[in-house]
Amino acid sequence: MLILERIQRKWIIVSSAFDMALFGLLFGLASSSIVIVLFGFLYTLVSNVFSNGFHIFQAEIFPTPVRATAAGWGYSLSRLMSGVMPFVLLPILHADGVVAMFSAVAAAMVLIMIDIGVFAPRTTGIALETVNDVAI
């Protein structure tokens, strides 16, 4: 929480997405058990930072009248996609291997980095009612 309150959340999301892409690829390329555990741990760590930062940020970017509904829909869709991802990623893993699967994940993280980094408004330290006014 100390990190999330001091740094712009959009940049926490962008940097943790970058780290997830990097650590995922390094995990896929690793051959020793120590390196696999290290990059698996680091991937999980930054994944948790990403998730916490994104859920806070998501609640901040929606206008007040629709905030609860929009955040609920966003969270629900993220859970639905988590259920669908094995059906997308496991065939890639089976056909092309670990590096190809983590490359697909890394590509998704790059799209998130571009989307949030370019289009998302600044929210840290700004009253929620004015976030959307600042973004316009």
Side-chain angles (χ1 to χ4, degrees):
M1 289 307 297
L2 295 174
I3 294 170
L4 293 175
E5 290 302 319
R6 294 183 184 270
I7 301 171
Q8 275 298 319
R9 276 175 271 289
K10 74 185 257 177
W11 298 121
I12 289 173
I13 294 166
V14 169
S15 63
S16 59
F18 174 82
D19 291 342
M20 287 170 66
L22 176 66
F23 294 145
L25 288 170
L26 292 171
F27 176 85
L29 293 168
S31 57
S32 88
S33 58
I34 292 173
V35 175
I36 290 170
V37 169
L38 173 66
F39 288 123
F41 172 78
L42 290 173
Y43 183 89
T44 302
L45 179 70
V46 296
S47 174
N48 283 304
V49 172
F50 176 87
S51 180
N52 287 314
F54 192 81
H55 289 302
I56 293 168
F57 185 71
Q58 175 181 294
E60 294 173 337
I61 61 173
F62 294 116
T64 302
V66 298
R67 184 170 294 132
T69 302
W73 271 97
Y75 182 77
S76 297
L77 289 173
S78 76
R79 298 298 87 209
L80 180 64
M81 291 309 297
S82 292
V84 170
M85 280 300 104
F87 297 104
V88 173
L89 294 174
L90 286 176
I92 296 172
L93 176 64
H94 180 67
D96 301 310
V98 175
V99 176
M101 185 194 72
F102 276 110
S103 294
V105 172
M109 292 296 107
V110 168
L111 290 175
I112 289 170
M113 291 165 54
I114 292 168
D115 182 36
I116 299 293
V118 173
F119 299 111
R122 179 179 183 267
T123 61
T124 305
I126 297 175
L128 293 179
E129 291 75 19
T130 61
V131 166
N132 291 297
D133 293 337
V134 171
I136 295 176

